[in-house]
Amino acid sequence: MASKRVLTGATVTLAVVALGIGLFRFFPERMTKNGARVAVPRTSQAAPAPSAPTPPRVPVRASREAKVEQVFRAPWGGRKGELGRKAADESSPEGPMAFAVDGSGRSYVLDQVNGRVAVFESGKEPRSIPVPADTFQDVALTKSGGLALLDRLKDGTVAFTDASGRVSHEVAIAGEGIQDAGDVTGLFQRDDGTWLEVSHANLVKVADADGAPLDDRVIVQGRFGGTDRVLRASRSGDRAAFVAERNARGVSPLSKVSFDLPLRELLELDVDPKGNVVLAASLLEEGPAPNFDVLDAREVVVLLDPRGAELARVELPASVGPEESFRRIRVGADGAIYHLGFEESGAIMRRIWL
Amino acid sequence: MNRAGTWLIVAVSAAWALAALPARAAPPAMTRDEIITRGKGVVKFSYWWGHGRWSTTSTAHGSCSGSCPSCSHSGSYGADCSGFVAKAWQVPGTIAVTTDAHPYSTYHFYNQSNYWGTVSRSSAKKADAFVYNSGGKGHIFLYESGDPWGWVTAIECKGCSYGCVRGGRSISSSYKAIRRDNIQDFPDKDGDGVADSKDNCPSNKNTSQTDTDKDGKGDTCDTDDDGDGVLDDKDNCPTTKNATQIDTDKDKKGDACDTDDDGDGVLDDKDNCDTAANKSQLDTDKDKKGDACDDDDDGDGVLDDEDNCALVKNADQADADKDGKGDACEADDDSDGLPDATDNCPLAANADQSDVDEDGKGDACDDDDDGDGTPDATDLCPELANASQSDLDQDGVGDACDDDIDGDGSPNVRDNCPELSDPNLEDADEDGVGDPCDDDIDGDGVFNTVDNCPSVANPDQKQGSGDKGLACSDGDTGDTGAGDTSDESGGCSLGAAPAGRDGLARLGLLAGLALAVRRRRR
């Protein structure tokens, strides 16, 4: 009698489990009249949506005495002094895509979500320069005091504005040296004109010093590192990056920079006024299968002397959240390294002296 | 509840659960390149929240405005990020890109593993996807390739403003990598979707694996695709065997692969001479072999080289004027200077076009020139109609054309009696009519036949002796004895004849002849 009761109980349990499996497999999708399947709104999901794993917070750590100071902290939002981020359903979340720094240390943050460039200057109220689209992804300052804005995905152009943000003209990106505007990975405004980097490899000069498009584009195999040097960086295995230099004597390896976590992606390569090389990277360590959770994530800035010897490095917390950015690290004319990080509450600009 | 009822519930529940399971069979096998190729098709199309549909031919990309999901879309095509990836991946099953479908959201891609599974971010490959979903928001994009910095080239339906784009981007650690089931993944050095072990060009991309000469080496890496012994860079038909390299029209494309061998503008399959240029396609004998390549253009059985009319059927090769040009194709067959069309003897030279009988057939080719019914060959006067074929003197020349009808040696024009032989041209009465044919020899006004002195003019006809007139009876009044020779010497020898039977018969004959001559003259 007792065994019979146990068997019946087990059977009922089994039935309930089977019923549950059926419900779970059946409801996540449904068919429309024409046979197309549509996503069920999240509110109707049977199971609660788990959150993406959040990597542990990493404090700023430096290999030698480094001065890290906060330039500003801007809450997320659309008001003055705030920066916009967008994280909509079924589309790419994004924060401020890039920024530029002028010789006075003013930060021009491309706050494209709010349709503006937010200008932060120490001791002053933030101001903004309106920009005509929310699809710009990089910004540079022109010698005339205006902006060069990179729209590589939507229109495939570089837009030049005056100081008020009014667009004076645009230069098409695709052309000699750039097959697909989407391959552009950086906008560089130099005294001699406007350069675009393609797939972190070549630089292509697309406009002259006045922003006029060039019929015959100049192509340089690397990224400028001063007046007579061209640098290139690339991943080297899982935990290292390779920096090479091209100069009048040819190409020579400069340095192999190792990391204690797997290298996820390089973030910046530049040269400071002293000729030191700045290399920034994003590091990420995953857990084991099947989930491959993020165990650790950091951003690292490494300073190399002109010959490639490492002078210092600083570890910064990885940005929090899924927001996409394009260029969040710049080397200022003052020699400082500017880093824009994303936090839960807003964006933070750090100035780092190594 | 009894045991049977319980088991029934279990069975029904289990069956329902299994039925409710989406077919867990793997999605259709796809290579990574196939996924990327399909995915690239979405670039430039608009962002369309909750949808997934684009076209490989339409340029009507649609447009999106506003802030999704409270955005508005116009047009028939577009996709959001998850609708796009599901379509590029062909999950849960095969579906046309033009068919609107949105089977999964980023929630499904992130939290479930219906037809995909999570992989390490660092092992992500082409055609894998990166997805995040948290707090009711999410995004997914297709990974196409990486760059030296570890950035990725992504294909994504990025958002309302951007639309669907392709470009390099960074990836935050919030994203995880997922891989579709049933991707054909194998060592593939050249990335052409064919495993190296089966690739006939493992180091050269050749998805089609075309191997024209079946030598096991794909055309892409074969220096002699067709295996004809001529290397491709010198071969005028690199994928068609043609060791001879014949190129009729010298267009650098060998005949073996040239659709117009002779370059005359008429494709070979329609060309009645595919190796002889003949734009006109002239085919005189309609034997489907153009004249340009036909040995016997007119099809008369005589080869052109020997045919005196190569373009006109003339098996007999007739050539009247022997000028080497057959009559069938000659305008003046007899070369007499007159076109055949107006020549009354086109096959017989007759520049004068003489046609005696005016029957339209020139004498030169008329068997009966004078049209008298007697063929020229037997006609005593072939050029002068003489149906009677009369030939008085029997000299073989018909009277009609005989200058001396009576054959007496005097031409008719001077013969005072042309139809009666009178070599002496006697004309007793000197009336211009020779005696043999003169009805009134003596010119006395009395016809000989009734003249009692036909040779002596005696208009009075005074009767002499006997039947003779007095004028010729020599005083003898009726004595016509045989011994009377004077009568005979008296120049009336003829006069003596009528006295006898013979004389009368002779006179009768003469009279008849005279009459015949007169009639003829008339």
Side-chain angles (χ1 to χ4, degrees):
Chain A
M1 193 66 184
S3 63
K4 185 178 178 183
R5 201 174 299 128
V6 169
L7 182 62
T8 304
T11 305
V12 170
T13 303
L14 189 61
V16 169
V17 169
L19 191 60
I21 292 172
L23 283 170
F24 179 78
R25 304 305 298 235
F26 187 73
F27 283 117
E29 328 171 333
R30 67 165 183 260
M31 306 291 284
T32 60
K33 281 182 193 171
N34 63 5
R37 297 182 179 217
V38 297
V40 178
R42 289 178 319 284
T43 52
S44 66
Q45 296 293 350
S51 297
T54 304
R57 298 300 304 271
V58 176
V60 174
R61 293 184 301 211
S63 60
R64 72 176 188 183
E65 189 176 346
K67 182 180 173 187
V68 180
E69 59 189 22
Q70 176 181 311
V71 179
F72 66 82
R73 184 184 292 272
W76 298 125
R79 294 175 298 187
K80 197 172 189 179
E82 295 179 338
L83 292 173
R85 77 169 170 176
K86 182 165 62 180
D89 187 11
E90 307 299 295
S91 62
S92 182
E94 57 185 271
M97 281 286 180
F99 69 95
V101 180
D102 69 9
S104 303
R106 280 185 287 262
S107 305
Y108 294 77
V109 181
L110 179 55
D111 184 16
Q112 81 285 346
V113 171
N114 290 319
R116 67 192 178 187
V117 167
V119 184
F120 294 88
E121 184 175 2
S122 179
K124 291 188 177 179
E125 282 283 305
R127 64 184 176 89
S128 62
I129 303 169
V131 294
D134 62 357
T135 50
F136 295 119
Q137 294 198 319
D138 202 358
V139 60
L141 307 175
T142 65
K143 65 178 185 181
S144 61
L147 303 171
L149 296 160
L150 172 69
D151 181 352
R152 64 193 185 108
L153 297 177
K154 178 72 165 39
D155 294 334
T157 58
V158 175
F160 292 89
T161 77
D162 59 16
S164 68
R166 190 178 63 82
V167 174
S168 60
H169 67 286
E170 294 177 340
V171 172
I173 294 174
E176 184 183 1
I178 309 176
Q179 190 174 359
D180 188 334
D183 292 332
V184 171
T185 47
L187 165 68
F188 299 85
Q189 191 67 30
R190 289 165 55 93
D191 290 344
D192 63 348
T194 304
W195 297 75
L196 297 177
E197 184 187 58
V198 181
S199 298
H200 293 120
N202 296 341
L203 279 175
V204 180
K205 187 178 179 182
V206 298
D208 64 15
D210 298 320
L214 296 177
D215 291 332
D216 293 319
R217 294 177 166 184
V218 182
I219 300 174
V220 174
Q221 294 183 323
R223 183 179 276 201
F224 288 117
T227 53
D228 62 347
R229 300 172 76 188
V230 173
L231 302 175
R232 264 196 182 179
S234 60
R235 292 165 54 103
S236 176
D238 287 343
R239 293 174 183 252
F242 203 68
V243 181
E245 142 175 50
R246 175 187 289 274
N247 54 28
R249 295 185 300 279
V251 178
S252 56
L254 195 64
S255 181
K256 183 173 183 179
V257 179
S258 297
F259 306 103
D260 57 359
L261 293 179
L263 171 61
R264 166 137 192 74
E265 60 192 26
L266 296 176
L267 298 176
E268 190 57 62
L269 175 68
D270 206 347
V271 172
D272 71 11
K274 295 178 183 172
N276 296 321
V277 177
V278 176
L279 179 70
S282 167
L283 311 177
L284 184 144
E285 183 168 34
E286 292 180 324
N291 296 324
F292 302 101
D293 291 331
V294 177
L295 302 180
D296 198 354
R298 303 175 199 169
E299 290 175 4
V300 177
V301 180
V302 179
L303 186 69
L304 307 173
D305 74 11
R307 293 182 179 176
E310 182 169 331
L311 295 174
R313 69 172 60 195
V314 61
E315 289 185 353
L316 302 163
S319 286
V320 174
E323 287 78 18
E324 180 188 0
S325 63
F326 194 65
R327 292 179 71 191
R328 293 185 293 106
I329 299 176
R330 291 290 173 101
V331 176
D334 54 5
I337 300 164
Y338 291 79
H339 176 271
L340 182 64
F342 297 165
E343 298 182 332
E344 288 290 354
S345 58
I348 178 171
M349 176 77 81
R350 296 185 178 94
R351 181 161 43 213
I352 304 161
W353 301 91
L354 286 177
Chain B
M1 184 181 293
N2 61 27
R3 183 181 294 178
T6 304
W7 278 111
L8 182 62
I9 291 173
V10 170
V12 169
S13 299
W16 184 60
L18 289 172
L21 279 170
R24 190 59 182 87
M30 292 180 79
T31 66
R32 296 184 181 278
D33 283 332
E34 284 173 339
I35 291 171
I36 293 300
T37 300
R38 183 182 295 270
K40 279 182 177 174
V42 83
V43 174
K44 291 187 179 175
F45 280 92
S46 56
Y47 180 89
W48 193 5
W49 191 84
H51 291 263
R53 181 188 192 199
W54 64 91
S55 167
T56 55
T57 56
S58 175
T59 55
H61 297 133
S63 65
C64 176
S65 60
S67 180
C68 295
S70 303
C71 50
S72 59
H73 180 269
S74 65
S76 302
Y77 297 112
D80 69 12
C81 61
S82 48
F84 157 64
V85 171
K87 187 63 68 70
W89 270 7
Q90 293 284 282
V91 289
T94 302
I95 185 169
V97 295
T98 50
T99 302
D100 192 16
H102 191 282
Y104 305 109
S105 69
T106 54
Y107 176 87
H108 301 103
F109 283 116
Y110 193 89
N111 297 301
Q112 298 179 2
S113 54
N114 298 0
Y115 298 101
W116 53 86
T118 304
V119 296
S120 165
R121 295 166 181 80
S122 59
S123 68
K125 295 179 182 179
K126 179 195 288 187
D128 289 343
F130 280 88
V131 59
Y132 106 91
N133 182 273
S134 178
K137 306 183 188 313
H139 184 54
I140 186 170
F141 60 84
L142 205 58
Y143 171 87
E144 181 186 333
S145 60
D147 78 2
W149 281 32
W151 284 38
V152 301
T153 296
I155 305 170
E156 56 186 325
C157 290
K158 200 170 180 71
C160 189
S161 299
Y162 287 102
C164 300
V165 299
R166 174 190 173 276
R169 61 165 292 164
S170 62
I171 309 172
S172 94
S173 58
S174 299
Y175 285 84
K176 71 176 187 180
I178 58 174
R179 179 168 298 160
R180 173 193 191 270
D181 294 344
N182 204 19
I183 286 183
Q184 286 180 338
D185 220 349
F186 30 67
D188 181 14
K189 257 186 304 186
D190 53 13
D192 60 4
V194 181
D196 291 345
S197 59
K198 295 181 179 176
D199 197 338
N200 59 19
C201 281
S203 300
N204 300 84
K205 190 173 261 189
N206 65 329
T207 304
S208 69
Q209 296 287 296
T210 303
D211 178 12
T212 301
D213 56 4
K214 312 289 183 200
D215 64 351
K217 205 168 177 181
D219 289 355
T220 306
C221 57
D222 193 348
T223 54
D224 181 13
D225 289 356
D226 52 15
D228 60 2
V230 183
L231 296 183
D232 292 343
D233 57 354
K234 308 266 185 192
D235 196 339
N236 60 18
C237 282
T239 57
T240 306
K241 196 172 276 198
N242 65 332
T244 61
Q245 298 287 297
I246 292 172
D247 178 13
T248 301
D249 55 5
K250 309 292 182 204
D251 65 351
K252 297 188 176 10
K253 203 169 179 183
D255 289 356
C257 59
D258 194 347
T259 54
D260 182 12
D261 290 354
D262 52 16
D264 60 4
V266 182
L267 296 183
D268 291 344
D269 59 352
K270 309 254 184 200
D271 197 340
N272 58 20
C273 280
D274 56 4
T275 56
N278 64 332
K279 194 169 187 174
S280 70
Q281 296 289 294
L282 187 64
D283 177 14
T284 301
D285 55 4
K286 310 292 181 200
D287 65 352
K288 299 189 177 1
K289 200 169 178 182
D291 291 354
C293 57
D294 194 347
D295 290 339
D296 181 11
D297 290 354
D298 53 14
D300 59 4
V302 182
L303 297 183
D304 292 343
D305 287 347
E306 299 169 357
D307 195 340
N308 60 15
C309 276
L311 298 176
V312 180
K313 194 173 277 196
N314 64 332
D316 62 0
Q317 296 290 294
D319 179 11
D321 53 6
K322 308 297 182 195
D323 64 351
K325 199 167 179 184
D327 297 344
C329 58
E330 192 164 31
D332 181 12
D333 292 350
D334 52 12
S335 295
D336 60 3
L338 292 165
D340 291 345
T342 58
D343 194 342
N344 59 16
C345 275
L347 299 177
N350 63 334
D352 62 0
Q353 295 289 292
S354 168
D355 180 12
V356 171
D357 56 3
E358 297 180 344
D359 64 353
K361 198 170 179 181
D363 298 342
C365 57
D366 195 347
D367 289 341
D368 181 13
D369 288 359
D370 52 13
D372 59 5
T374 303
D376 291 344
T378 56
D379 195 343
L380 297 180
C381 278
E383 296 185 358
L384 196 61
N386 60 332
S388 68
Q389 295 292 303
S390 159
D391 181 12
L392 194 62
D393 55 2
Q394 302 292 309
D395 63 353
V397 178
D399 294 345
C401 56
D402 194 347
D403 290 340
D404 183 13
I405 293 173
D406 52 10
D408 59 2
S410 294
N412 298 332
V413 292
R414 284 185 283 129
D415 194 341
N416 55 15
C417 195
E419 295 182 1
L420 283 175
S421 179
D422 56 335
N424 298 323
L425 299 177
E426 288 176 355
D427 180 12
D429 57 1
E430 296 180 346
D431 63 355
V433 178
D435 291 346
C437 54
D438 194 349
D439 291 338
D440 180 16
I441 292 173
D442 53 10
D444 59 4
V446 181
F447 287 124
N448 298 332
T449 52
V450 293
D451 192 346
N452 55 10
C453 278
S455 301
V456 179
N458 61 337
D460 58 3
Q461 293 287 300
K462 284 183 179 177
Q463 194 69 36
S465 59
D467 292 334
K468 276 187 177 175
L470 182 61
C472 59
S473 61
D474 199 18
D476 186 354
T477 54
D479 185 3
T480 57
D484 191 351
T485 56
S486 61
D487 290 342
E488 292 175 2
S489 61
C492 280
S493 58
L494 285 176
R501 271 183 214 157
D502 288 347
L504 284 174
R506 205 170 289 150
L507 281 173
L509 177 62
L510 285 172
L513 281 172
L515 281 173
V517 169
R518 282 196 179 167
R519 205 173 293 132
R520 175 93 179 182
R521 283 183 178 160
R522 277 196 298 271

